[in-house]
Amino acid sequence: MWHTYLLGLLGFQLAHAAIPLARKAVLFPNPSIGRLDPVLQGVVLVRFRNDHVSIRLQNTPPLPLRSIRAEPLLRWEQSLHSGVQRSPLSTAQRSAALQAEEPLLRTFVLEYAEPWEPEYVCKFLQTRCPAVEYAEPYTLATPFFTPNDPLLPRQQLLWTINAFAAWDIGQGDSTVVVGIVDTGVRFTHEDLAGSLWFNRAEIPGNGIDDDGNGYVDDYLGYNFTAAEDQTSPGDPRNFTEGHGTGVAGIAAATLNNGRGIAGIGFRCRFFPVKAAPEGVPAIYYGYQGILYCALMGFAVVNCSWGSQTFSCTNQAVVAYALARGTLVVAAAGNSPVSTTTWYPAGYPGVLGVGNTYPNDALHPLSARGLGTQVLAPGEGAWTTGNDGDSSYTTFGGTSGAAPIVSAAAALVRALHPELSPLQAAALIARTADPVEAANPDWASLLPGRLNLWKLLASPPEEAPGLTLPELVVRTPDGRERRRWRLGDTLWLWIRAQNVLGTGSAVTCRLIRAVDTAETLQLLDSTVTVPLIEADAAVELGPFRARVRRAGTDPILLCAECSDSSSIYWQRLFLPLTPTPDVATFTSAVAALSIADDGALGFSDYPNNTHGIGFRYRDFCGLLYSGGLFAADSLRGKAVGSTPSGFAREHDFTVLKPFLEPEEHSNLLSDAQAPPERRIGLLLRQDILGFDAESSGVIRMLVSAWNLSGITLHGVSIGFLMDWDLGRGGRGDRARFFPEARLPDLDLPHGAEVVEHPGLPSVGGCVVALTQAAEVQCAGLSTRFLYDGDGFSAAEKIRLLTSGTSVQEPDTGDVALVVGVRFPEAWHPEQVRQFVLCFGAAQNSSELAERFRECVRYAKTLTIASSPPRDLPRVTVQDGVLRGELPHEGLWRIELWDLLGRLLWYGERWLPAGSFAAALPALPVGVVLVRLRSGHSSWQQLVTVYP
């Protein structure tokens, strides 16, 4: 267990490359715990909070691990902050680079001794170590190489991209350098030696860092795997893996030397960075290589590799490279994905490259759509080989396409040195040629194919160049929407940054590029904008669309834009979720997401990308996970939407999501749970809002009906909340919260709080709306969530039947449970209700008062919200709704299907006792009937027969 290990004190700084990453065991992908790519055992990436580490000293704080070594990702003496490194950046560029650099100075590669998988270590560090801002596994990237038949005409790609005409315009410059971060490069090759860039400030082979940049002997390349291979740090060759040599040849093979082939970059130079050890076809030091290229001020860095795993650390490295003026070009991936991306190609600002044959046909395994900004004919490319200094071979995949674009980027940055990385990337995309004629099946998924002549011949300012696009959904009156439903009409806007010239009469056409289920119908698919200003934010729209089918998997939209001059043409790819499954509620100081099925914070734990969690003032990520659960102790059953290990339970069917006409309420059934766990409950959550606009405490009314058909005894309903305060101190502590009680109130109530000295307090409070109920409050370590059986039924029952006795004194990663147990007989179709209040306050005293106010508020609901004693029973037969009502009145009748779609509603004046109301034609199956009159409300599932 976590607490059985001693503290390891880290207070030292190790030399660069002290951790031999290539000697570490590799753990293979395991999607069940969110691992999409291979990761290293015993190594994680850790960023410390700025109040726990000096970026100058880089002295790491104590950690509860038997840590072996810690290596800063970016050392102080390499940084702009140190004042040692000189940079040609302008004042504005330097300011942006300093801002991007600061978090990298707090980021370390950490080697640990425990036999734990890195995902567990990261969760442990993030939640039990206040000094840790975040931690993530060390992911390995894969070179995107595809072997090919060598019979294709050598270098046909040069004609495809119109290279010869382009070289008449610009041949590059020897001061413009492309960093080749890859497996290594055979720099002694006859067709590469003449294109190397030399770091003249370094003396080769003397074992000294002569130029003081933090890298020893980096004269004609740098070797990050020197320790693993027992080779020189200044020798970037890899004699067993030739991927990097092939990449370098495409970009930079020497021209006019009477030998071999012609590299695209002409007079531009390349610098090899070895990021993979001998004999291992995986990139271990890819992002360290990007960082090196940024520190050296290279114009372009080529990354013919990638992984499916998003990383905050790696995104920060990319952002820093862009801020330092280095354009990152990356292979988009050798898998035909279109709605997801590979990284680094998927990070903002990176120029992702897809792969075609020289005849413009897309390679069937090339990525396309999202994460692909341009295509290049990399398949069958003739290039330098690794078998000897005069060997040649063919190459392919997006690995072969990326260096074509990297070399083109070097040429255009040599011709137009004033262009920023984003401007160069936008110009490359803008001047590309459409290739849909050669790819009719994939036309709407493809950007243009690189046209090198057009790139160099086109003045950057003659037309727009849009970058960093995002899709915004609004109402007709302009309000942004976060939720929509089946059948809704959406007003869509494209928000982007124009980094190039002015455009007039720009017309954009929106296309459903990937929507196999036909979830969206485009109603207005074309808009024209009279004027797009240069170097300005842009909004294009509105487009109108209707949601035809439900779905939480994203679809892909393509916006094809052109202007009146026919000079500008560009495709932008934009994901859209047809029917999102989370709702977000806000006050002036707090925001909370709740999934339609009762999960708190996020709907997609452990990825935690659908939702915002819980935010309070300047504190984000306070609620790591949580959710609704229920237990039947007599029958040993339990259901939930709570986390369990590195997965989440999905026992509740959503009968009505948090959508209009009652966007603040949902309706759930545990019918989705397996029979051995199913209790037979219908649950409704009514979000009553934050108790004040300036409050961080939200209120919820929970109503539950017994639909099991039998009388239940001892059923409990509650909520798990894994709060992570995570700033300062030595850990969080959960405790029972008697300060929140009102002794004079006759309704059962109680609360639990999580505290951390000097930080806001968070917690939950429950109030039962009947005296025949027992409050349940627990505070405990989250270890039980991640042990062998996860959040088991036995654990759920224990936490909802022990009153307030489960109070573990541990500090660190803690969770709380609040709920209500109903010990008395619960007959079929009867209702049970309680109020939940939870959230944050500046301190425990304020939180206690917020909770006491919640208790007072709940008292006002005991009459108004109590269901009638005599519950209506209804049936649908022959198109007529029949049943019994407790009183006469104006009743609203609503009919919902099991996907949460409102089928019909109407109002009728109905008598007490028996009634009959004609209905429109309904689909055969199960529907939810809801009856409401005044404070009386009832819902029941009924079957509509043919």
Side-chain angles (χ1 to χ4, degrees):
M1 304 299 289
W2 300 114
H3 64 281
T4 62
Y5 291 86
L6 300 176
L7 290 179
L9 300 182
L10 294 178
F12 52 88
Q13 177 181 343
L14 295 183
H16 188 76
I19 301 175
L21 299 179
R23 297 178 187 172
K24 291 293 182 181
V26 177
L27 303 180
F28 290 102
N30 183 354
S32 66
I33 62 172
R35 185 192 302 156
L36 302 179
D37 297 283
V39 300
L40 293 185
Q41 172 65 22
V43 179
V44 293
L45 290 164
V46 179
R47 176 176 296 170
F48 295 101
R49 298 189 184 280
N50 55 17
D51 54 350
H52 281 76
V53 64
S54 164
I55 62 173
R56 184 177 184 278
L57 299 178
Q58 294 187 308
N59 52 331
T60 58
L63 294 177
L65 288 173
R66 288 186 291 143
S67 306
I68 299 174
R69 284 174 279 198
E71 173 189 322
L73 195 63
L74 175 65
R75 288 177 289 162
W76 170 257
E77 60 270 21
Q78 298 171 313
S79 69
L80 292 174
H81 280 78
S82 70
V84 175
Q85 302 298 327
R86 295 182 178 180
S87 171
L89 300 176
S90 67
T91 301
Q93 290 171 329
R94 181 178 176 84
S95 176
L98 287 169
Q99 183 177 359
E101 182 179 81
E102 189 274 338
L104 296 180
L105 292 168
R106 299 185 278 112
T107 305
F108 291 76
V109 181
L110 175 69
E111 183 181 20
Y112 62 90
E114 285 82 0
W116 305 330
E117 291 189 334
E119 289 82 6
Y120 286 87
V121 172
C122 291
K123 166 64 177 172
F124 177 57
L125 290 176
Q126 286 184 201
T127 56
R128 294 193 58 145
C129 304
V132 172
E133 185 172 304
Y134 71 77
E136 55 193 17
Y138 195 103
T139 302
L140 298 184
T142 305
F144 290 135
F145 170 65
T146 303
N148 201 282
D149 192 329
L151 299 180
L152 288 174
R154 296 182 180 185
Q155 293 196 277
Q156 185 180 345
L157 68 91
L158 297 177
W159 282 267
T160 302
I161 65 173
N162 212 351
F164 302 105
W167 289 333
D168 288 336
I169 300 173
Q171 298 179 355
D173 189 276
S174 60
T175 63
V176 176
V177 183
V178 178
I180 305 292
V181 178
D182 215 288
T183 58
V185 176
R186 192 181 187 98
F187 63 86
T188 56
H189 193 285
E190 64 178 11
D191 223 4
L192 293 175
S195 297
L196 280 167
W197 179 81
F198 297 98
N199 179 12
R200 303 293 182 182
E202 190 78 13
I203 300 173
N206 67 354
I208 299 173
D209 179 15
D210 300 287
D211 61 358
N213 68 350
Y215 302 91
V216 173
D217 288 343
D218 57 329
Y219 174 70
L220 51 72
Y222 190 73
N223 176 12
F224 276 94
T225 67
E228 292 93 326
D229 295 337
Q230 297 299 304
T231 53
S232 167
D235 186 352
R237 291 175 294 180
N238 189 324
F239 294 102
T240 61
E241 297 294 334
H243 186 270
T245 299
V247 169
I250 294 172
T254 309
L255 274 75
N256 295 328
N257 64 348
R259 295 171 181 167
I261 61 171
I264 312 296
F266 211 114
R267 300 187 189 280
C268 296
R269 294 292 184 257
F270 82 98
F271 193 84
V273 179
K274 183 181 178 184
E278 301 281 339
V280 181
I283 303 297
Y284 282 69
Y285 296 93
Y287 290 90
Q288 289 92 329
I290 295 174
L291 190 57
Y292 175 90
C293 294
L295 292 172
M296 296 299 291
F298 295 162
V300 184
V301 56
N302 184 88
C303 307
S304 289
W305 42 266
S307 70
Q308 300 176 76
T309 303
F310 173 86
S311 162
C312 292
T313 300
N314 296 341
Q315 184 180 36
V317 169
V318 168
Y320 180 59
L322 296 172
R324 290 290 299 256
T326 298
L327 173 61
V328 182
V329 178
N334 288 350
S335 61
V337 298
S338 52
T339 58
T340 58
T341 63
W342 289 73
Y343 299 100
Y347 293 126
V350 175
L351 186 58
V353 185
N355 182 37
T356 67
Y357 293 96
N359 65 356
D360 281 342
L362 183 74
H363 191 282
L365 293 182
S366 172
R368 70 290 304 265
L370 201 63
T372 306
Q373 286 83 45
V374 69
L375 303 171
E379 198 59 34
W382 197 255
T383 188
T384 46
N386 204 49
D387 295 335
D389 287 346
S390 59
S391 63
Y392 296 87
T393 186
T394 52
F395 209 69
T398 51
S399 279
I404 300 172
V405 174
S406 290
L411 288 172
V412 76
R413 298 200 76 184
L415 185 65
H416 298 289
E418 74 280 4
L419 294 180
S420 70
L422 288 181
Q423 288 174 321
L427 186 59
I428 290 170
R430 189 190 80 189
T431 55
D433 288 339
V435 294
E436 59 261 33
N439 302 277
D441 293 339
W442 300 318
S444 60
L445 285 172
L446 302 182
R449 185 258 307 132
L450 173 71
N451 184 324
L452 188 59
W453 172 79
K454 191 189 296 184
L455 171 66
L456 300 186
S458 301
E461 69 280 0
E462 74 174 347
L466 303 184
T467 189
L468 305 177
E470 62 174 321
L471 193 67
V472 180
V473 181
R474 292 194 172 122
T475 60
D477 59 2
R479 292 180 295 108
E480 288 196 16
R481 297 185 65 177
R482 293 178 177 173
R483 290 298 303 269
W484 44 90
R485 63 188 303 152
L486 186 68
D488 279 1
T489 297
L490 311 180
W491 272 254
L492 306 176
W493 293 78
I494 299 170
R495 183 184 293 157
Q497 185 72 26
N498 177 25
V499 294
L500 295 177
T502 300
S504 59
V506 174
T507 297
C508 290
R509 182 170 65 98
L510 200 62
I511 307 165
R512 291 186 303 114
V514 177
D515 186 12
T516 53
E518 297 185 348
T519 60
L520 199 71
Q521 177 186 11
L522 293 175
L523 304 175
D524 296 325
S525 59
T526 302
V527 299
T528 298
V529 179
L531 180 67
I532 291 181
E533 298 285 354
D535 194 23
V538 175
E539 285 201 347
L540 306 170
F543 306 90
R544 283 195 316 132
R546 186 173 68 88
V547 181
R548 298 177 57 184
R549 289 183 175 85
T552 56
D553 292 332
I555 65 171
L556 188 69
L557 301 177
C558 169
E560 184 175 281
C561 300
S562 58
D563 70 356
S564 57
S565 68
S566 300
I567 296 174
Y568 173 60
W569 178 87
Q570 188 176 8
R571 278 189 173 141
L572 307 172
F573 298 103
L574 307 144
L576 174 71
T577 302
T579 49
D581 57 353
V582 294
T584 299
F585 304 94
T586 62
S587 70
V589 298
L592 164 73
S593 291
I594 304 179
D596 290 331
D597 72 346
L600 298 179
F602 305 94
S603 66
D604 62 335
Y605 172 88
N607 295 325
N608 287 3
T609 58
H610 296 177
I612 65 169
F614 185 92
R615 299 176 182 175
Y616 177 67
R617 298 188 184 274
D618 295 329
F619 297 88
C620 298
L622 293 177
L623 185 62
Y624 180 67
S625 63
L628 171 70
F629 69 107
D632 182 340
S633 58
L634 186 63
R635 295 188 291 167
K637 296 187 174 190
V639 293
S641 58
T642 48
S644 181
F646 285 94
R648 185 168 79 78
E649 298 170 322
H650 296 271
D651 290 333
F652 295 117
T653 299
V654 179
L655 303 179
K656 179 203 170 295
F658 287 106
L659 284 172
E660 297 176 348
E662 295 178 311
E663 64 272 19
H664 289 83
S665 68
N666 69 346
L667 196 65
L668 310 174
S669 165
D670 67 354
Q672 191 162 292
E676 64 273 14
R677 297 213 311 266
R678 188 184 309 142
I679 299 173
L681 298 178
L682 181 70
L683 298 119
R684 175 177 168 128
Q685 296 173 288
D686 287 286
I687 306 301
L688 306 175
F690 287 85
D691 59 9
E693 185 62 20
S694 60
S695 171
V697 173
I698 194 168
R699 299 166 173 174
M700 177 193 300
L701 173 65
V702 180
S703 305
W705 288 264
N706 174 9
L707 296 187
S708 67
I710 63 174
T711 299
L712 302 176
H713 298 270
V715 169
S716 307
I717 304 170
F719 290 83
L720 169 76
M721 302 176 195
D722 181 0
W723 292 103
D724 292 336
L725 296 176
R727 286 196 179 210
R730 296 184 177 179
D732 303 340
R733 184 172 73 96
R735 66 177 178 89
F736 182 60
F737 201 26
E739 300 97 306
R741 285 189 51 78
L742 288 176
D744 298 334
L745 187 72
D746 56 356
L747 292 177
H749 61 283
E752 193 81 14
V753 64
V754 176
E755 298 168 315
H756 199 117
L759 294 176
S761 296
V762 295
C765 172
V766 289
V767 188
L769 299 188
T770 174
Q771 294 184 12
E774 301 169 354
V775 167
Q776 310 294 313
C777 295
L780 67 167
S781 167
T782 59
R783 289 189 296 267
F784 75 94
L785 290 175
Y786 308 104
D787 58 18
D789 60 352
F791 194 11
S792 64
E795 287 284 358
K796 291 183 176 72
I797 292 171
R798 180 176 78 95
L799 294 176
L800 286 180
T801 58
S802 300
T804 60
S805 64
V806 179
Q807 302 293 333
E808 296 182 2
D810 290 359
T811 60
D813 184 12
V814 296
L816 65 81
V817 169
V818 289
V820 176
R821 181 172 182 265
F822 302 101
E824 294 187 349
W826 187 354
H827 299 294
E829 301 182 3
Q830 284 187 335
V831 68
R832 298 288 185 265
Q833 292 180 301
F834 65 92
V835 171
L836 167 72
C837 295
F838 66 104
Q842 294 281 61
N843 50 58
S844 293
S845 296
E846 181 184 337
L847 186 64
E849 179 53 36
R850 294 289 184 188
F851 284 169
R852 288 193 294 268
E853 185 59 34
C854 169
V855 176
R856 297 185 188 99
Y857 176 77
K859 179 67 175 178
T860 68
L861 299 177
T862 55
I863 297 175
S865 295
S866 292
R869 292 186 178 182
D870 299 319
L871 300 172
R873 293 171 173 267
V874 296
T875 62
V876 175
Q877 189 173 4
D878 299 328
V880 178
L881 177 69
R882 292 182 173 85
E884 299 282 334
L885 294 176
H887 62 80
E888 182 183 26
L890 183 65
W891 287 83
R892 178 184 172 93
I893 306 170
E894 299 173 2
L895 304 177
W896 300 79
D897 69 8
L898 295 185
L899 294 178
R901 296 173 294 195
L902 181 64
L903 301 176
W904 178 84
Y905 72 93
E907 292 184 343
R908 302 283 190 276
W909 189 273
L910 299 174
S914 299
F915 78 94
L919 299 176
L922 296 174
V924 174
V926 177
V927 299
L928 176 77
V929 177
R930 177 180 299 162
L931 295 168
R932 297 170 58 194
S933 178
H935 295 309
S936 297
S937 178
W938 172 244
Q939 46 265 316
Q940 179 182 329
L941 293 174
V942 300
T943 302
V944 178
Y945 296 99

